[in-house]
Amino acid sequence: MVCVNMFVLISGWYGIRPNIKKLLSLFFQVWFFSILGYLVFVFSYEDIHFSIAKFVHYIFFSDYWFVPAYLLLYILSPILNSFVENSTKRNLMVVIICFYLFQFVYGWFDRSPYFDHGCSPLVFLGLYLIARFLRIHNELYDKISISKVAVGYLLVLFITVLLCTLMAIKGNVKWAELLMQYSSPFTVCLSVLLLIFFSKLKLNSYKTIALLGTSSFAVYLFHDSTYFYEKIFYPIGCWIYVNNSTICSLLLLFLFLSVIYLISFLLDLMRIVLWEKIARYFNVSSTNSR
């Protein structure tokens, strides 16, 4: 659950600088996995038939809730950037605090539909502002050691898992799920702590991380596409979980997810090569979207 928020936080950390070239690259990446994947399943499964309505459904990214939500953030990012750059530290902090008080009351506890259980552009706007604020005003946490941030993360994680487990045992599954929503204060807190942790981490393999990070979005597009999820990902995951011991199922699931990641990564490399050729042909920059 933290990973979705992290994707938005990283966008806010570096700042989205939208232009038509990056937007076209984003569109192409989504269509490469959704439309191409759909056509593969049409030719591979007799019970899946080609449909114009379904094809249009993929054209407008309707197979993924995340893409339209992120697209709206992308469109609004110049306004958010301008607000952050022209606001005082105090004003920006007040806006963020008020926003999250509103979100936690109406978007999380009250579960208002326009927050859609955390699957909403509104949630993304708040995360983006937090990341921009932390990047600019790093003096707020600069003196806190990385070990203390790690301990804080593990402590919040332990409390969240413990509460979810206790609620699930008592049959309050809806309350347990509530704690794990993207708009949950626990999830937001974990996401922010993880962002701060990695901002303090000194790494020597930036090129490798950049290469793997470029295709992180592809992993989501690949495994969460409707037919792949229904026909392959979910059935195999369930089979591993049900038919093996706990240790064995964990190892097999780790192996299965690693294979999914590898396939996604290789497919995205093909996508990048294809996009570069298309971009050169139409004289469009091949800059990858963040």
Side-chain angles (χ1 to χ4, degrees), residues 71-283:
L71 182 58
L72 183 56
L73 173 66
Y74 196 90
I75 293 169
L76 295 177
S77 60
I79 300 174
L80 298 175
N81 292 336
S82 179
F83 168 67
V84 171
E85 292 161 6
N86 293 284
S87 292
T88 63
K89 176 181 175 181
R90 181 181 180 278
N91 286 342
L92 185 54
M93 187 181 295
V94 168
V95 169
I96 291 173
I97 291 172
C98 290
F99 176 89
Y100 275 96
L101 286 174
F102 182 88
Q103 175 176 293
F104 292 152
V105 172
Y106 294 101
W108 181 62
F109 189 75
D110 190 50
R111 307 180 214 183
S112 296
Y114 46 83
F115 276 97
D116 194 21
H117 306 287
C119 303
S120 166
L122 285 174
V123 177
F124 289 4
L125 297 180
L127 292 170
Y128 189 87
L129 287 178
I130 282 184
R132 296 301 302 144
F133 178 80
L134 291 174
R135 181 68 185 273
I136 295 171
H137 302 289
N138 58 2
E139 70 277 2
L140 294 174
Y141 58 89
D142 191 48
K143 294 182 180 180
I144 302 174
S145 66
I146 190 172
S147 59
K148 289 182 179 179
V149 176
V151 170
Y153 177 86
L154 293 173
L155 180 62
V156 177
L157 180 62
F158 175 77
I159 293 171
T160 308
V161 172
L162 180 63
L163 289 173
C164 287
T165 304
L166 292 174
M167 289 178 180
I169 290 173
K170 292 184 177 181
N172 298 322
V173 178
K174 289 185 178 180
W175 281 98
E177 291 176 348
L178 192 65
L179 291 176
M180 295 188 292
Q181 288 183 359
Y182 303 121
S183 56
S184 163
F186 293 92
T187 306
V188 172
C189 183
L190 286 170
S191 305
V192 171
L193 287 171
L194 201 60
L195 179 72
I196 294 174
F197 175 83
F198 276 100
S199 73
K200 291 177 171 290
L201 198 62
K202 304 300 180 183
L203 301 169
N204 298 318
S205 53
Y206 286 109
K207 289 184 179 180
T208 303
I209 293 170
L211 180 64
L212 295 174
T214 300
S215 299
S216 61
F217 189 46
V219 181
Y220 162 71
L221 295 174
F222 180 64
H223 94 275
D224 204 42
S225 58
T226 300
Y227 290 119
F228 183 83
Y229 186 88
E230 292 178 353
K231 299 285 188 181
I232 298 175
F233 187 80
Y234 186 74
I236 292 178
C238 288
W239 183 88
I240 292 174
Y241 180 77
V242 172
N243 294 283
N244 296 278
S245 64
T246 303
I247 299 299
C248 186
S249 64
L250 286 174
L251 292 173
L252 289 173
L253 284 171
F254 178 78
L255 178 62
F256 177 53
L257 294 178
S258 299
V259 170
I260 294 295
Y261 183 91
L262 179 61
I263 294 173
S264 304
F265 177 75
L266 294 175
L267 285 174
D268 202 50
L269 287 181
M270 294 171 56
R271 187 269 309 176
I272 292 171
V273 171
L274 183 59
W275 169 247
E276 288 177 346
K277 291 183 178 181
I278 295 173
R280 282 198 299 268
Y281 182 80
F282 289 101
N283 195 27

